[in-house]
Amino acid sequence: MRFQDKVVLVTGGAQGIGKEIALDFARGGAKLVLFDVNEQALSDTAKEIGDSLRVMNLKVDVTNLSDVEKNVNKVIDNWGRVDILINNAGITRDNLILRLSENDWDSVLNVNLKGSFNCAKTLARVMVKQRAGKIVNISSVIGIMGNPGQVNYGASKAGLIGITKSLARELGGRNITVNAVAPGYIRTAMTDKISDKVKEEMFKRIPLSRFGEPLDVAKAVTFLASEDADYITGQVLVVDGGLV
Ligand code: NDP
């Protein structure tokens, strides 16, 4: 029970990687706050976590700063603190640059980058007062190695590494660590959309010869958010079966 009574906020926590992260924290005794736009998945995941006294499932669009602030205030009113923030909400809108619309650029940057900024900014205030906190940003190997058709996504995920490193320097003196996890190819709704041809190509490049599962990522995240990682900050932990 290494997270006994810690309050953990997971964005995009209703499904996929975020859901598995939430379940892993719940197994460790944490109280969960899930921010997501998918109401059906939110209530299904809250039920799966179980005890309604230990989970707040809130419909929040992370791109909207006042929505984030309003709902963080609800959490503070209810539980008085937030110990851990996992910036996981993310989307893809893939296209080669000649066909990539301004709208697809803006939506991906808005959710993946600005959404993480909105949550980090709001929770930094809470954590600075507590003089303790842990933030883990979910980046991607695409932010490190690039990928054709993902200029918007790659920029957002590289940007998240930039946020991680600057924020680690800014908040270190207040006993707050900030790290990133960069997953490779993980089997979720997001990667279901990829064509079989691209999947096959990707598979050949993975030394461990399997695609990742959400739990592979969750284990890295809960490590970085645990006391075992108290002296680790500003780092990017790649969870990709050796792909990069
Ligand atoms: P999923 O699409 O399965 O889950 C993401 C969740 O975030 C969904 O419930 C989605 O709702 C929600 N969401 C989307 N936009 C917002 C928003 N504005 N505010 C709040 N919630 C939102 O994605 P994954 O689990 O695959 O990915 C999770 C994270 O991991 C993302 O940041 C992704 O970029 C990253 N990642 C994933 C990899 C993979 O291989 N799957 C690899 C590397 C990184 P809705 O369904 O309604 O859109």
Side-chain angles (χ1 to χ4, degrees):
M1 301 297 272
R2 60 185 172 154
F3 297 109
Q4 186 70 52
D5 292 332
K6 297 273 185 204
V7 178
V8 182
L9 193 162
V10 185
T11 72
Q15 58 178 326
I17 293 172
K19 173 183 170 180
E20 209 55 52
I21 291 170
L23 289 173
D24 209 39
F25 276 115
R27 283 189 289 268
K31 295 182 191 167
L32 265 302
V33 183
L34 310 178
F35 278 8
D36 206 292
V37 287
N38 190 325
E39 282 185 282
Q40 184 59 52
L42 255 180
S43 89
D44 291 348
T45 298
K47 273 190 211 126
E48 202 172 327
I49 290 173
D51 186 349
S52 63
L53 296 174
R54 300 187 73 82
V55 57
M56 292 177 76
N57 49 324
L58 300 167
K59 183 172 186 279
V60 181
D61 178 352
V62 293
T63 65
N64 183 331
L65 180 59
S66 62
D67 203 16
V68 169
E69 287 172 340
K70 196 177 69 194
N71 283 282
V72 167
N73 286 339
K74 279 189 202 163
V75 178
I76 299 299
D77 288 346
N78 200 22
W79 283 332
R81 56 188 298 114
V82 176
D83 300 286
I84 296 165
L85 164 66
I86 313 299
N87 271 319
N88 164 81
I91 60 167
T92 51
R93 296 284 181 272
D94 298 350
N95 227 326
L96 297 171
I97 190 149
L98 297 184
R99 286 191 226 124
L100 187 66
S101 68
E102 190 182 358
N103 192 36
D104 285 345
W105 169 270
D106 287 343
S107 2
V108 169
L109 270 289
N110 255 336
V111 178
N112 301 7
L113 199 55
K114 189 180 168 208
S116 301
F117 160 76
N118 286 344
C119 295
K121 181 179 165 64
T122 309
L123 269 304
R125 189 173 295 127
V126 174
M127 289 176 179
V128 163
K129 272 197 208 137
Q130 293 167 184
R131 295 220 156 240
K134 290 201 158 41
I135 299 176
V136 181
N137 295 318
I138 307 301
S139 177
S140 165
V141 290
I142 307 306
I144 298 168
M145 69 179 196
N147 199 25
Q150 291 200 304
V151 163
N152 50 355
Y153 185 77
S156 72
K157 294 300 185 179
L160 211 38
I161 293 174
I163 290 184
T164 302
K165 290 185 180 282
S166 291
L167 210 48
R169 290 185 189 277
E170 221 174 288
L171 298 178
R174 306 300 178 100
N175 190 30
I176 299 165
T177 66
V178 188
N179 291 289
V181 169
Y185 184 110
I186 310 298
R187 295 196 317 144
T188 67
M190 183 181 272
T191 44
D192 270 356
K193 295 183 269 186
I194 297 173
S195 74
D196 286 346
K197 189 165 169 269
V198 173
K199 279 185 197 162
E200 269 168 41
E201 283 308 308
M202 192 76 85
F203 190 86
K204 284 186 210 149
R205 293 161 61 192
I206 302 174
L208 287 180
S209 296
R210 69 170 175 89
F211 291 132
E213 298 297 333
L215 189 59
D216 292 314
V217 180
K219 289 291 174 196
V221 171
T222 46
F223 163 66
L224 286 172
S226 75
E227 285 178 4
D228 291 342
D230 274 352
Y231 200 56
I232 300 174
T233 196
Q235 300 305 302
V236 182
L237 179 51
V238 176
V239 181
D240 70 343
L243 175 66
V244 169

